[in-house]
Amino acid sequence: MKIVYTDVLVIGGGLAGLRLAIGAKRRGHDALILSLVPAKRSHSKAAQGGMQASLGNVIKGQGDTEDVHFEDTVRGSDWGADQEVVRMFVNTAPKAVRELAAWGVPWSRVRKGDRDVIMNGQKVTITERDEAHGLIAQRDFGGTKKWRTCYAADGTGHSMINTVADQAIADSIPVHERVEALSLIHDGSRCFGAVVRDLVTGEVSAYVATATAVCTGGAGRVYRNTTNAVICEGIGHALALETGVSALGNMEAVQFHPTGIFPAGILVTEGCRGDGGLLKDVDGHRFMPDYEPEKKELASRDVVSRRMEEHIKKGKGHKSRFGEHIWLDITQLGEKHIHTNLREVWDICHYFLGVDPVKEMIPVRPAQHYTMGGVRTDPSGQSPTLKGLFSAGEAACWDMHGFNRLGGNSVAETVVAGMIVGETVADYCDSLSNTPTVPLGLVREFVEREQAKLEAFTRGGGTEDASAIKGEMQDLMTAKVGIFRTGKDLDEAVDKLQKLLVRSRRIGLRSPQLGANPELVTAYRVQRMLKIALTVAYGAAVRTESRGAHFREDFPRRNDAEWLKRTLATWKGESDTLPTLAYEPLDVGRMELPPGWRGYGAKDYIDHPDTPGRQKAVEAIRAQHASDRFAMQAALMPYEHLLPPGLRGRNERIDERL
Amino acid sequence: MADNDSHRKLRIHALRYNPAKAGDTPRIQTYELEEAPGMTLFIALSEIREKQDPSLQFDFVCRAGICGSCGMMINGRPGLACRTVTKDLEADISLAPLPVFELIGDLSVNSGKWMRGMSEKLETWVHAQERALDLKRIEEPMDPALAEAVYELDRCIECGCCVASCGTARMREDFVGAVGLNKIARFRLDPRDKRTDADFYELVGDDNGVFGCMSLLACHDVCPKNLPLQTQIAFLRRKMVVQGTQG
């Protein structure tokens, strides 16, 4: 049995995993990254639009602070987020952008003087301040009060991961590429690493570590129509779920991005709308102001996606041979802007649609985009139920997005969480009491169990086809667990997914070798993906309310009285066909921003009984500290003690000097 | 996207070879499939793997032309398979793995390993002056035009097409390729990187670096991101000549 030892085992080579590993390594611990693909090819790369951080350099961002970013994020989450975590995040985001700037990300910079922008369909001239010249620029994005999204032209995620991956190389952090974790090694209370399969040779080995971090991104590929890369299959989620101990939080919260190109589902960035792009129907009518007079195209993603589908249902979609879609019109932004700031969009339209967005409208329809749910951790990033297990980024639920994530908050989260959880992991490894006595018998048992499972596929005589099961699952999820959900559809989906799960236990292979074998990979992944699909569908079926991206046509109101709580899904037994659900209430009495109307979407919700009382208390504290926003915040909801010491402290701005 | 169906019968001729399998020999295998509207090589190869041959190896990740995973020889020319639309090609399409890189199997090559080696050798990161970074403070300003220029060169996706098309790379195992030279140009331009031309000369001032380039410049022609490789290599060579002769 081959065993690799390391202090910190990071599963996933995207931005969160890379930054976490760098943090741990710089604190003196050996970190090793496992990645399905070369790190720079991770899905972090696809973040085109930008990273939210309240720098307030541009004139339209003037007055922006952590407070405004906090409120936007909590409203965006439809009050599902952990507000302490959101505070930790918004205070660290400016530090993250500045660190990346020092490391080499070519952030787009502010140019002083006049410039023309498109706002609300109109050309407007704005004037940037002299003192902002050369500082990091921000653009407009959905669901934000201020221009807050920092960007590197049209390739923010690309430049971020290039820079961070190269830093990891500079720090001599090994990335074992083209390997896949098959299971976490644990004894029910503590995690010791993972069983890992080499995708090229098929070799199975054990990686034993003091700390193991799941940073594997999203699970979009359980759906048919998704913007996610083909590797985003939720396997990291499944690793945690299959321990039977570690829980997944809020898996029913799935975001659909308004502008996947139709029908391929490839994302065109929110920056299109942020920069002034409009959504139009079959008649060329701009319909979003009819539904959302205040935020229009720039309401949060869940709201815009639903309005688009609603408008299509009214017969206002453009009919094509692949189905109906909406138009995204960016022609008014002009050739120069599109060729510099939205070039990736031009490329995608050109190569995948044969459309020139300078002259023609882009066919779009909402597609699965983001997994808000994930491996449940505390605010420091550690699993509360499995010691030594950590998680960061899209794979995690610490929980800063609640039921809907804002555009620009995901790449921001990856790096911020990597910074914070990297310190947590280093603290954990620093403590001698956490050095594991490696139970070699247990390690062997886990390796042998995975080998037996692989052999069952190649020699077990199964007859089911892995690809066919996967396809059926994806179609079911898109058709029944999508943007508009009903009890009837969800129950049907849960029932059929369970049957697929049972069938998946009898998969046989047409090409039954244990080495490099794409069919074998599909086979073992689809079993895990079905468990993830079931946590999504079953969680959605049980949650009889609408919140953020989870929208029930039969329960259209947000119901704080009964549902202001986080879903926790665990998978108790190997032969189970359903997750076990439990709920963790959110404490209104400790919220800095008590539940209310988001400022867009339906105004209709049922209050939690504690909300009016908390609202009153909050107002009193606000009045008492009206002159000092920091004192006010500290009195409302202290959070700074939760941050690693090196990441505490105020952020300097042009208008807020230290 | 054209609304009229073409329904051509495509014949994809793929090079098959699994170096890990004892006794395996390279061969061309032909797959027939019906073309669909908007079909890309990503869609076509995925369908072949799903319905005809689950053992066929290839690499896709983003399938949107941004991650650089799917470089392969398409009708003899390096390109990104995910954004190659079949309707732009004849019905007979030949596919082969990128040369130069270590072959994993069939159409899959280990470009990631090559790129990591190149990054380690050329130290493709900002070499800042040693001082503690105060993240609370406003960032250093940077000229907006310069930031854009750095970004232009930062757009490389390390797909390996330039290396696969390079005459020198076929002859010199350690040649850093246009991808490596472009990276040096990128960091040379970046004011945050404190390395001097003397430092860069140590990295690329030889036949495995900028003086190995024979100016055939296929790299420039095949780069899927249209990076200005020709200009950058020529400029870098001039600077390195100056450094080497007068430095």
Side-chain angles (χ1 to χ4, degrees), chain A residues 77 156 165 169 198 200 226 229 257 290 311 314 362 370 510 514 517 535 557 566 569 620 644:
Chain A
S77 81
T156 310
I169 296 174
D198 187 314
V200 177
T226 174
H257 195 289
D290 305 343
H311 205 59
K314 285 183 184 165
I362 309 164
Y370 191 81
R510 281 174 284 170
L514 283 169
N517 182 354
T535 62
R557 291 206 288 183
R566 188 172 294 120

Side-chain angles (χ1 to χ4, degrees), chain A residues 40 101 104 154 158 226 343, chain B residues 63 151-152 154 158 186:
Chain A
K40 284 179 192 167
D154 60 338
H158 166 90
T226 174
R343 179 168 37 188
Chain B
R63 58 80 171 91
Y151 175 77
E152 279 306 304
D154 201 51
E158 300 186 9
R186 178 244 179 271

Side-chain angles (χ1 to χ4, degrees), chain B:
Chain B
M1 192 171 298
D3 266 5
N4 57 323
D5 276 347
S6 50
H7 291 308
R8 281 193 304 173
K9 185 75 84 185
L10 300 177
R11 279 170 303 278
I12 293 188
H13 311 283
L15 191 130
R16 301 298 310 274
Y17 176 50
N18 184 354
K21 205 157 131 191
D24 202 24
T25 48
R27 65 198 184 279
I28 300 289
Q29 187 164 345
T30 298
Y31 302 97
E32 286 198 2
L33 77 163
E34 193 169 289
E35 189 172 32
M39 186 175 251
T40 60
L41 286 179
F42 162 67
I43 296 170
L45 286 169
S46 302
E47 192 183 308
I48 290 170
R49 183 143 93 187
E50 216 169 287
K51 299 196 175 139
Q52 300 186 36
D53 186 345
S55 69
L56 181 63
Q57 294 188 65
F58 49 77
D59 293 313
F60 288 99
V61 178
C62 75
R63 58 80 171 91
I66 52 176
C67 78
S69 298
C70 65
M72 58 181 77
M73 301 300 279
I74 303 161
N75 291 334
R77 191 183 164 94
L80 297 181
C82 76
R83 67 174 209 191
T84 301
V85 184
T86 55
K87 76 171 162 55
D88 296 342
L89 305 174
E90 298 292 318
D92 282 279
I93 302 167
S94 83
L95 299 179
L98 290 183
V100 183
F101 302 103
E102 176 186 301
L103 180 69
I104 289 174
D106 304 336
L107 305 173
S108 172
V109 295
N110 205 338
S111 56
K113 183 177 165 190
W114 194 99
M115 294 295 165
R116 169 118 185 179
M118 177 273 297
S119 281
E120 285 171 351
K121 185 167 150 191
L122 300 184
E123 303 183 11
T124 60
W125 52 87
V126 161
H127 289 51
Q129 266 160 358
E130 290 296 324
R131 65 184 168 87
L133 200 56
D134 186 352
L135 299 178
K136 294 196 276 293
R137 296 282 167 188
I138 289 183
E139 64 276 11
E140 286 283 317
M142 188 170 173
D143 177 61
L146 185 54
E148 277 169 31
V150 171
Y151 175 77
E152 279 306 304
L153 303 184
D154 201 51
R155 292 175 62 242
C156 170
I157 56 172
E158 300 186 9
C159 60
C161 287
C162 59
V163 177
S165 70
C166 175
T168 304
R170 301 283 187 107
M171 298 186 293
R172 291 184 177 279
E173 204 181 328
D174 294 326
F175 184 57
V176 300
V179 52
L181 297 174
N182 176 68
K183 289 205 183 258
I184 292 298
R186 178 244 179 271
F187 287 103
R188 200 181 163 276
L189 192 62
D190 194 326
R192 294 166 291 199
D193 195 323
K194 302 304 176 195
R195 283 180 287 186
T196 62
D197 274 351
D199 299 320
F200 291 125
Y201 188 83
E202 291 300 315
L203 299 171
V204 294
D206 63 5
D207 286 352
N208 285 325
V210 76
F211 301 124
C213 169
M214 301 183 288
S215 301
L216 299 175
L217 296 170
C219 54
H220 186 96
D221 296 335
V222 300
C223 175
K225 291 287 153 182
N226 299 314
L227 291 171
L229 299 173
Q230 177 175 4
T231 338
Q232 291 305 320
I233 293 172
F235 183 68
L236 186 64
R237 182 160 44 211
R238 232 171 32 237
K239 292 292 172 192
M240 291 300 106
V241 166
V242 171
Q243 178 62 39
T245 52
Q246 298 160 25

Side-chain angles (χ1 to χ4, degrees), chain A residues 16 20 85 213-219 236-237 240 246-251 253 370-383 390-402 405 413-414 417-418 421 566:
Chain A
L20 189 155
V85 171
V214 173
C215 307
T216 48
H237 290 83
S246 166
L248 301 184
N250 286 344
M251 287 303 288
Y370 191 81
T371 309
M372 268 78 73
V375 181
R376 181 69 185 134
T377 73
D378 62 23
S380 78
Q382 181 166 206
S383 165
F390 302 80
S391 186
E394 188 173 354
C397 176
W398 55 336
D399 156 5
M400 69 161 273
H401 304 302
R405 170 178 73 74
E413 179 191 24
T414 61
V421 185
R566 188 172 294 120

Side-chain angles (χ1 to χ4, degrees), chain A residues 476-490:
Chain A
L476 253 179
M477 292 299 285
T478 287
K480 306 285 178 188
V481 198
I483 295 179
F484 289 101
R485 299 171 173 180
T486 65
K488 184 173 157 288
D489 281 352
L490 292 167

